[in-house]
Amino acid sequence: MSNKSLWCAVLVPLLGCSHAYADPTAEKLSRIEGETLLLKARERQLDVQGSILMKQNQIATIQAATSALAHAPGAGDPQVRSVEGVGRAVFATLQLGDGGVIEVQPGDMLPKGMQVVSIAPGNVIVRKGKQRVRLAQAAPPQQQYGAALPAVPAPPPGMPAGAVR
């Protein structure tokens, strides 16, 4: 065998080995890239979960504040019959515990030392001492059926009784 043949016999397997060494490095880099993508996705998922928890806490805080304002109507407390107006020219019609009806605007004083703090559609908040209270809605007046029904005229002569509408 000549020197050239001997070198070829030695170099060819070495070149094959260098290619074999490159594959594990590429595989390692691919695996590292995949792990990096997974970690970034988990980080984004944790960020989203954190923002969801913050929003839930904000909602819970608002609900707690709203329920603190909620108030079962006490004996003699005014109740909201209606709220009317636009912008700053808004007023509420309240029904007092004694049956009287008054119209109020923010800042007005009510019986029992209550002061109207704010008025919004269907929502009147008053200050009772140091406590803020949302007044309850008054029940709509019930219709009494059969009390005063209009008389139904009799059908004209010659027409059947069920024909009049």
Side-chain angles (χ1 to χ4, degrees), residues 1-49:
M1 233 185 191
S2 68
N3 262 347
K4 285 185 181 180
S5 306
L6 183 60
W7 276 108
C8 284
V10 171
L11 287 177
V12 169
L14 286 177
L15 289 176
C17 289
S18 69
H19 180 60
Y21 287 119
D23 280 344
T25 303
E27 288 177 17
K28 285 181 183 178
L29 287 175
S30 295
R31 185 172 42 91
I32 290 171
E33 280 182 353
E35 290 173 356
T36 302
L37 289 174
L38 282 174
L39 288 173
K40 286 182 179 180
R42 286 182 185 155
E43 180 184 24
R44 277 184 258 144
Q45 181 182 18
L46 289 174
D47 287 344
V48 168
Q49 288 175 343

Side-chain angles (χ1 to χ4, degrees), residues 29 37 39 63 74 80 93 103 116 122 159:
L29 287 175
L37 289 174
L39 288 173
Q63 286 177 340
V80 181
T93 303
E103 289 184 355
V116 179
M159 197 173 240

Side-chain angles (χ1 to χ4, degrees), residues 19-154:
H19 180 60
Y21 287 119
D23 280 344
T25 303
E27 288 177 17
K28 285 181 183 178
L29 287 175
S30 295
R31 185 172 42 91
I32 290 171
E33 280 182 353
E35 290 173 356
T36 302
L37 289 174
L38 282 174
L39 288 173
K40 286 182 179 180
R42 286 182 185 155
E43 180 184 24
R44 277 184 258 144
Q45 181 182 18
L46 289 174
D47 287 344
V48 168
Q49 288 175 343
S51 66
I52 288 172
L53 285 174
M54 284 180 17
K55 292 292 182 185
Q56 287 175 338
N57 287 339
Q58 288 174 350
I59 291 169
T61 302
I62 291 169
Q63 286 177 340
T66 302
S67 66
L69 289 176
H71 168 65
D77 280 355
Q79 294 182 345
V80 181
R81 285 183 64 181
S82 67
V83 174
E84 299 175 23
V86 178
R88 293 182 184 200
V90 65
F91 63 92
T93 303
L94 303 180
Q95 182 171 349
L96 301 175
D98 63 3
V101 176
I102 61 170
E103 289 184 355
V104 296
Q105 292 182 322
D108 288 352
M109 293 299 293
L110 300 175
K112 296 186 180 179
M114 295 182 195
Q115 182 180 14
V116 179
V117 175
S118 68
I119 299 175
N123 191 13
V124 176
I125 297 177
V126 297
R127 185 179 341 221
K128 199 176 188 180
K130 292 184 180 181
Q131 184 181 31
R132 288 181 172 214
V133 177
R134 182 176 53 194
L135 296 179
Q137 293 290 323
Q142 295 181 355
Q143 285 187 334
Q144 297 176 351
Y145 293 103
L149 292 177
V152 178

